Amino acid sequence: QVQLVESGGGLVQAGGSLRLSCAASGRTFSAGYMGWYRQTPGKERELVATIAWRGSSTDYAGSVKGRFTVSRDAAKNTGFLQMNSLKPEDTAVYYCAVDRFIRDIQTGTPDYWGQGTQVTVSS
């Protein structure tokens, strides 16, 4: 079992920045992927960023590319989502998740999920 604990959400004005953290504990994983998702009521969950735990290759949704940066500190088993130039439409509950396989991240079916953290961007 892997436990994921998120932190860093909050209220910010448009144009501001937030940094989300996702700390993993329990069964450690040395390979695999972390994904960051977001969801708002009435909308489908959106995968916004992924990072490979080895090699740290990344990928982004078009809606956040150039504004969000995903990273990880493998020694601390912690992933990060740096969000800059935030817009009101970025308002959502953000979730981190991990899985051994990128396909599961991409299809929204990873093995382990964080509890979610609310990000609210005011105009």
Side-chain angles (χ1 to χ4, degrees), residues 51-58 72:
I51 185 166
W53 213 249
R54 283 182 180 172
S56 66
S57 63
T58 60
R72 93 281 186 267

PDB file of all heavy atoms in Angstrom, residues 51-58 72:
ATOM      1  N   ILE A  51       4.605  12.794 -14.414  1.00  0.00           N
ATOM      2  CA  ILE A  51       6.056  12.748 -14.310  1.00  0.00           C
ATOM      3  C   ILE A  51       6.473  11.308 -14.071  1.00  0.00           C
ATOM      4  O   ILE A  51       5.833  10.582 -13.304  1.00  0.00           O
ATOM      5  CB  ILE A  51       6.582  13.679 -13.194  1.00  0.00           C
ATOM      6  CG1 ILE A  51       8.106  13.709 -13.200  1.00  0.00           C
ATOM      7  CG2 ILE A  51       6.020  13.295 -11.828  1.00  0.00           C
ATOM      8  CD1 ILE A  51       8.691  14.841 -12.383  1.00  0.00           C
ATOM      9  N   ALA A  52       7.522  10.910 -14.761  1.00  0.00           N
ATOM     10  CA  ALA A  52       8.113   9.603 -14.537  1.00  0.00           C
ATOM     11  C   ALA A  52       9.038   9.685 -13.333  1.00  0.00           C
ATOM     12  O   ALA A  52       9.860  10.597 -13.242  1.00  0.00           O
ATOM     13  CB  ALA A  52       8.894   9.163 -15.769  1.00  0.00           C
ATOM     14  N   TRP A  53       8.899   8.733 -12.426  1.00  0.00           N
ATOM     15  CA  TRP A  53       9.692   8.811 -11.214  1.00  0.00           C
ATOM     16  C   TRP A  53      11.169   8.586 -11.501  1.00  0.00           C
ATOM     17  O   TRP A  53      12.025   9.177 -10.857  1.00  0.00           O
ATOM     18  CB  TRP A  53       9.190   7.791 -10.197  1.00  0.00           C
ATOM     19  CG  TRP A  53       9.330   8.274  -8.795  1.00  0.00           C
ATOM     20  CD1 TRP A  53      10.173   7.802  -7.842  1.00  0.00           C
ATOM     21  CD2 TRP A  53       8.612   9.361  -8.200  1.00  0.00           C
ATOM     22  NE1 TRP A  53      10.032   8.535  -6.684  1.00  0.00           N
ATOM     23  CE2 TRP A  53       9.080   9.486  -6.878  1.00  0.00           C
ATOM     24  CE3 TRP A  53       7.637  10.248  -8.663  1.00  0.00           C
ATOM     25  CZ2 TRP A  53       8.591  10.452  -5.999  1.00  0.00           C
ATOM     26  CZ3 TRP A  53       7.157  11.213  -7.795  1.00  0.00           C
ATOM     27  CH2 TRP A  53       7.636  11.301  -6.487  1.00  0.00           C
ATOM     28  N   ARG A  54      11.457   7.755 -12.468  1.00  0.00           N
ATOM     29  CA  ARG A  54      12.824   7.615 -12.941  1.00  0.00           C
ATOM     30  C   ARG A  54      12.988   8.437 -14.201  1.00  0.00           C
ATOM     31  O   ARG A  54      12.168   8.360 -15.097  1.00  0.00           O
ATOM     32  CB  ARG A  54      13.142   6.155 -13.259  1.00  0.00           C
ATOM     33  CG  ARG A  54      13.409   5.299 -12.058  1.00  0.00           C
ATOM     34  CD  ARG A  54      13.745   3.900 -12.498  1.00  0.00           C
ATOM     35  NE  ARG A  54      14.020   3.036 -11.341  1.00  0.00           N
ATOM     36  CZ  ARG A  54      14.197   1.734 -11.426  1.00  0.00           C
ATOM     37  NH1 ARG A  54      14.132   1.132 -12.597  1.00  0.00           N
ATOM     38  NH2 ARG A  54      14.438   1.020 -10.348  1.00  0.00           N
ATOM     39  N   GLY A  55      14.003   9.216 -14.239  1.00  0.00           N
ATOM     40  CA  GLY A  55      14.264  10.004 -15.430  1.00  0.00           C
ATOM     41  C   GLY A  55      13.533  11.318 -15.462  1.00  0.00           C
ATOM     42  O   GLY A  55      13.948  12.244 -16.118  1.00  0.00           O
ATOM     43  N   SER A  56      12.418  11.407 -14.717  1.00  0.00           N
ATOM     44  CA  SER A  56      11.635  12.639 -14.549  1.00  0.00           C
ATOM     45  C   SER A  56      11.122  13.244 -15.852  1.00  0.00           C
ATOM     46  O   SER A  56      10.981  14.461 -15.951  1.00  0.00           O
ATOM     47  CB  SER A  56      12.405  13.678 -13.742  1.00  0.00           C
ATOM     48  OG  SER A  56      13.552  14.136 -14.412  1.00  0.00           O
ATOM     49  N   SER A  57      10.837  12.417 -16.849  1.00  0.00           N
ATOM     50  CA  SER A  57      10.192  12.971 -18.042  1.00  0.00           C
ATOM     51  C   SER A  57       8.784  13.426 -17.680  1.00  0.00           C
ATOM     52  O   SER A  57       8.133  12.840 -16.814  1.00  0.00           O
ATOM     53  CB  SER A  57      10.153  11.930 -19.160  1.00  0.00           C
ATOM     54  OG  SER A  57       9.380  10.824 -18.781  1.00  0.00           O
ATOM     55  N   THR A  58       8.323  14.475 -18.301  1.00  0.00           N
ATOM     56  CA  THR A  58       7.052  15.089 -17.941  1.00  0.00           C
ATOM     57  C   THR A  58       6.147  15.265 -19.151  1.00  0.00           C
ATOM     58  O   THR A  58       6.598  15.250 -20.302  1.00  0.00           O
ATOM     59  CB  THR A  58       7.288  16.464 -17.298  1.00  0.00           C
ATOM     60  OG1 THR A  58       7.981  17.305 -18.232  1.00  0.00           O
ATOM     61  CG2 THR A  58       8.103  16.348 -16.018  1.00  0.00           C
ATOM     62  N   ARG A  72       9.678  16.185  -8.942  1.00  0.00           N
ATOM     63  CA  ARG A  72       9.656  15.242  -7.821  1.00  0.00           C
ATOM     64  C   ARG A  72      11.014  15.234  -7.149  1.00  0.00           C
ATOM     65  O   ARG A  72      12.027  15.505  -7.767  1.00  0.00           O
ATOM     66  CB  ARG A  72       9.242  13.836  -8.285  1.00  0.00           C
ATOM     67  CG  ARG A  72      10.368  12.878  -8.655  1.00  0.00           C
ATOM     68  CD  ARG A  72      10.921  13.115 -10.007  1.00  0.00           C
ATOM     69  NE  ARG A  72      11.887  12.125 -10.432  1.00  0.00           N
ATOM     70  CZ  ARG A  72      13.193  12.238 -10.278  1.00  0.00           C
ATOM     71  NH1 ARG A  72      13.711  13.285  -9.642  1.00  0.00           N
ATOM     72  NH2 ARG A  72      14.008  11.302 -10.724  1.00  0.00           N
TER      73      ARG A  72
END
